[in-house]
Amino acid sequence: MSDRIFGGLGLALALFFIWQATLIEESFISDVVGPKVFPIIIGVLMALASVWFILRPDAEPTWPGRGRLLEIAAAVIVMVLYAELLPVAGFLIATAVASAYLTWRLGTAPLQSLVVGLCISGGIYIVFRVILGLSLAKGPLGF
């Protein structure tokens, strides 16, 4: 029963997401695909996954314990803080901190998590900023 509730909520959220994507205003200098396509694709995939939960629920799903739910809540809080602090701290710093925390909570040693966070942040920066030339949030260091 809980899988069907989860699927129904996911489907409602996916439909809302798709509807909001159709409201994105297009610039007169946009590319052929436009800014609406990618969010709509994500919404459709989310809707399909939600329908799967509705049609094929687990017989007896196992819910995580209280400690694991707190871990999930902490990860959600980190992602919200990441989105809020991205314009202030900049892409490199915010991404390094968030990815270091998340990898640490996934079981990596603290020092390794710091190295992984720095590598993830730097790697994504190189791909998106240096290679693809896309704009990323600048931080207090100016990059």
Side-chain angles (χ1 to χ4, degrees):
M1 183 63 174
S2 61
D3 280 0
R4 288 196 169 118
I5 293 171
F6 176 73
L9 291 173
L11 184 59
L13 182 62
L15 294 174
F16 177 76
F17 191 80
I18 293 169
W19 172 61
Q20 287 295 306
T22 62
L23 300 178
I24 295 174
E25 292 186 27
E26 295 188 34
S27 171
F28 67 93
I29 54 171
S30 67
D31 58 5
V32 178
V33 177
K36 297 178 182 182
V37 174
F38 184 70
I40 290 174
I41 290 171
I42 297 298
V44 167
L45 292 174
M46 185 175 171
L48 290 172
S50 297
V51 168
W52 178 265
F53 280 109
I54 293 169
L55 298 178
R56 308 215 15 126
D58 282 342
E60 285 190 39
T62 305
W63 285 87
R66 188 173 292 163
R68 187 57 81 184
L69 287 175
L70 288 174
E71 291 269 345
I72 294 169
V76 169
I77 290 169
V78 166
M79 295 308 295
V80 169
L81 287 173
Y82 174 74
E84 291 295 322
L85 295 176
L86 190 61
V88 177
F91 178 82
L92 283 173
I93 295 171
T95 303
V97 171
S99 58
Y101 173 80
L102 293 172
T103 55
W104 172 60
R105 295 316 309 147
L106 287 172
T108 309
L111 184 58
Q112 288 176 320
S113 295
L114 182 61
V115 171
V116 168
L118 292 171
C119 289
I120 288 172
S121 179
I124 294 172
Y125 183 84
I126 288 170
V127 169
F128 284 95
R129 179 71 181 132
V130 177
I131 296 173
L132 297 176
L134 300 174
S135 173
L136 298 173
K138 291 183 179 183
L141 302 176
F143 54 86

